[in-house]
Amino acid sequence: MDLQASTAISASGLRAQNARMKVIAENIANADSTINAAGTGPYQRKMIAFRAAVDKASGAASVKVDRVGGDKVTPYRMAFEPGHPLADAQGLVKYPNVDIAIESADMREATRAYEANLMAIDTARQMMSRSLDLLR
Amino acid sequence: MDLSNALKHRMDFLVQRQGIVSGNIANVNTPDYAARDIDFRAMTERHLAGQGMVTTDQQHLNGVGGGGAMAGALNTKTYPVRLDGNAVTIEEEMLKMGSIRSEHALLNSAYAKYTQMYKTAISTGR
């Protein structure tokens, strides 16, 4: 393994955190979407799962997005709004199961992981340039 | 093993370790991933023995503790394991990376000094 390979691994980390950020943004944007794209109910919170991928050449582990799926466990938020066009007989409206507090905590974690990956790239780059300086 | 060889071997190790630490950081949110590390002694012993499994195809893996210079030791002893089975601590990895960087810089300047000795020897002959 050389420093180029370790930079590639960190880049895979950046990509993964980027994808995670996209999912979080989607959740926050749709925090109040009472109808999803299919028109079947309120928007369902999405979650992302990562998977370690072994790089055959070096044996080190890069990261890949395994899948993005809906959160089927967290219950939908019910709000009492009798005047709402989507209210049922009891005057309740079903809102997405998105909790902004959880999303912002996730967002912070993604930012931190992204920064750590950037730091790893920076370290590899510095090591490379130190070695190149030997030629001078 | 002369000095320049020894320096090269240690620098090789540092570069390998940097790759493994990068992998750990990239997998900080991967479920069931435990932080890996590499052992200098094991790597040196394998290097001195000069053996390992031969890879005859691009698809062959070096494997844990197998041939090549790469050794991926699973490390779950010193790390707290989270609910999703992930055992990577960013702070720990940052510390490792910092020590790798400073040691690499130290070895680089040692190597520069070493070559400087040759230059001095050559120039005094003139």
Side-chain angles (χ1 to χ4, degrees), chain B residues 27-38:
Chain B
N27 281 293
V28 72
N29 292 115
T30 307
D32 292 327
Y33 180 90
R36 285 151 184 258
D37 208 345
I38 185 173

Side-chain angles (χ1 to χ4, degrees), chain A residues 1-3 5-7 9-10 12-13 16-17 20 49-64 109-110 112-113 115-117 119-124 126-128 130-131 134 136, chain B residues 11-12 14-31 33 36 58-63 70 72 82 90-91 94 97-98 100-101 104-109 111-113 115 119:
Chain A
M1 179 163 32
D2 52 13
L3 288 169
S6 84
T7 310
I9 291 168
S10 299
S12 82
Q17 297 302 335
R20 183 185 187 191
F50 295 140
R51 174 164 54 90
V54 176
D55 181 32
K56 287 213 169 70
S58 62
S62 59
V63 65
K64 276 200 171 107
E109 211 185 312
R112 249 167 58 80
E115 277 168 2
N117 279 302
M119 204 92 124
I121 289 180
D122 194 43
T123 303
Q126 279 183 27
M127 282 165 72
M128 247 187 280
R130 272 308 276 254
S131 295
L134 286 176
R136 275 202 219 143
Chain B
M11 275 209 242
D12 245 6
L14 290 176
V15 168
Q16 303 278 349
R17 192 164 190 226
Q18 166 66 17
I20 291 167
V21 171
S22 297
N24 288 345
I25 293 173
N27 281 293
V28 72
N29 292 115
T30 307
Y33 180 90
R36 285 151 184 258
Q58 194 128 50
Q59 297 285 305
H60 288 170
L61 288 168
N62 272 332
M70 173 74 201
R82 286 208 298 267
I90 286 196
E91 290 78 11
M94 287 291 151
M97 217 160 63
I100 289 169
R101 182 161 58 183
H104 192 264
L106 175 72
L107 290 178
N108 261 321
S109 34
Y111 189 80
K113 288 274 186 298
T115 47
K119 278 183 198 157

Side-chain angles (χ1 to χ4, degrees), chain B residues 80-91:
Chain B
V81 180
R82 286 208 298 267
L83 277 179
D84 62 356
N86 183 285
V88 180
T89 321
I90 286 196
E91 290 78 11

Side-chain angles (χ1 to χ4, degrees), chain A residues 54-78:
Chain A
V54 176
D55 181 32
K56 287 213 169 70
S58 62
S62 59
V63 65
K64 276 200 171 107
V65 173
D66 189 47
R67 73 187 79 150
V68 178
D71 176 359
K72 294 187 179 69
V73 179
T74 314
Y76 289 112
R77 195 156 36 98
M78 305 299 279

Side-chain angles (χ1 to χ4, degrees), chain B residues 32-104:
Chain B
D32 292 327
Y33 180 90
R36 285 151 184 258
D37 208 345
I38 185 173
D39 183 21
F40 186 59
R41 176 189 282 267
M43 185 181 149
T44 310
E45 272 165 10
R46 250 199 322 283
H47 179 77
L48 292 175
Q51 57 187 4
M53 274 191 288
V54 180
T55 51
T56 52
D57 190 288
Q58 194 128 50
Q59 297 285 305
H60 288 170
L61 288 168
N62 272 332
V64 175
M70 173 74 201
L74 286 175
N75 186 354
T76 48
K77 269 182 231 143
T78 53
Y79 293 82
V81 180
R82 286 208 298 267
L83 277 179
D84 62 356
N86 183 285
V88 180
T89 321
I90 286 196
E91 290 78 11
E92 194 95 21
E93 302 304 320
M94 287 291 151
L95 277 177
K96 277 191 213 165
M97 217 160 63
S99 70
I100 289 169
R101 182 161 58 183
S102 47
E103 198 186 328
H104 192 264

